[in-house]
Amino acid sequence: MAAGVLAAGCVGIVGVAGASPHEGTADNTVGTAAAASTPHAAEQPEAAQTYARQVPAPGGTTKPPTATPPNPPAATTKPPQPPQPSSTAKPPKPPKTDGKHTGRATFHSTGLGSCGQVNNDRDLVVALSSELMPGYPSPNCGKKIRVSYKGKSVDVTVTDTSPGSGRYDLDLSPAAFDRLGDRSQGMLYGVTWKFL
């Protein structure tokens, strides 16, 4: 006969040597029943299958190889270089202010000029072109000029700039213009002038 030992809290069968074949079968039956009564024993294969389904297949996360683009060919031509300034080039000469000049004469309403002086139409003043009035105030501010036209002349003082005039054109006050011609003419061509 087989002797069984029952442990507290566990179900198990310990076989004794010399048991009959029938007793072994009984022991096996009891052992199978004991295994079936173990908690979660029947659920383990299903849990293992579930876990197997959640784990990705080996190599499933590997990215496909990407092709490396070839290096672009090296540039063989040099970029154009900016022209270098010539060391022998001379700066442009400022326009002459000495000697006699020829230009046109117009007239304008006076007021505050670019030399910072306020004049009225009765004053004998003149505005020179922007080329002859550099900076502020211009070094030509306050200089005297003698203007001549067809045998008449008038001395005027530089007090303003005339941006729209040609290099040697003059923009006279109405009183100065009246000394040379009639305002109805609007403009006098071929006036000559020089700094005093």
Side-chain angles (χ1 to χ4, degrees):
M1 291 182 67
V5 178
L6 178 64
C10 299
V11 178
I13 300 297
V14 177
V16 177
S20 68
H22 298 290
E23 291 175 344
T25 303
D27 289 345
N28 288 342
T29 304
V30 174
T32 303
S37 65
T38 303
H40 306 294
E43 296 177 4
Q44 287 179 357
E46 183 180 349
Q49 291 175 3
T50 304
Y51 178 76
R53 284 195 298 269
Q54 293 176 352
V55 176
T61 58
T62 305
K63 295 181 179 179
T66 56
T68 303
N71 292 331
T76 56
T77 58
K78 294 182 179 179
Q81 298 295 326
Q84 298 296 326
S86 174
S87 58
T88 59
K90 295 180 180 179
K93 292 181 179 180
K96 286 185 176 182
T97 56
D98 58 341
K100 188 178 284 187
H101 309 290
T102 303
R104 298 172 298 178
T106 55
F107 63 92
H108 68 284
S109 296
T110 57
L112 176 62
S114 63
C115 295
Q117 180 179 339
V118 178
N119 295 105
N120 60 57
D121 292 349
R122 296 183 304 275
D123 293 330
L124 300 176
V125 294
V126 65
L128 299 181
S129 67
S130 299
E131 293 182 62
L132 298 181
M133 296 293 284
Y136 180 81
S138 169
N140 285 327
C141 285
K143 289 187 177 181
K144 298 284 186 179
I145 289 177
R146 180 164 291 161
V147 186
S148 301
Y149 180 72
K150 293 185 178 181
K152 300 177 181 179
S153 64
V154 61
D155 293 346
V156 293
T157 303
V158 178
T159 59
D160 203 357
T161 304
S162 179
S165 296
R167 178 180 292 185
Y168 296 119
D169 291 347
L170 303 175
D171 196 12
L172 300 165
S173 63
F177 193 92
D178 290 343
R179 299 283 186 94
L180 302 174
D182 192 328
R183 272 188 259 177
S184 63
Q185 294 175 259
M187 184 179 294
L188 304 177
Y189 295 91
V191 297
T192 58
W193 62 273
K194 65 179 180 178
F195 282 99
L196 297 178

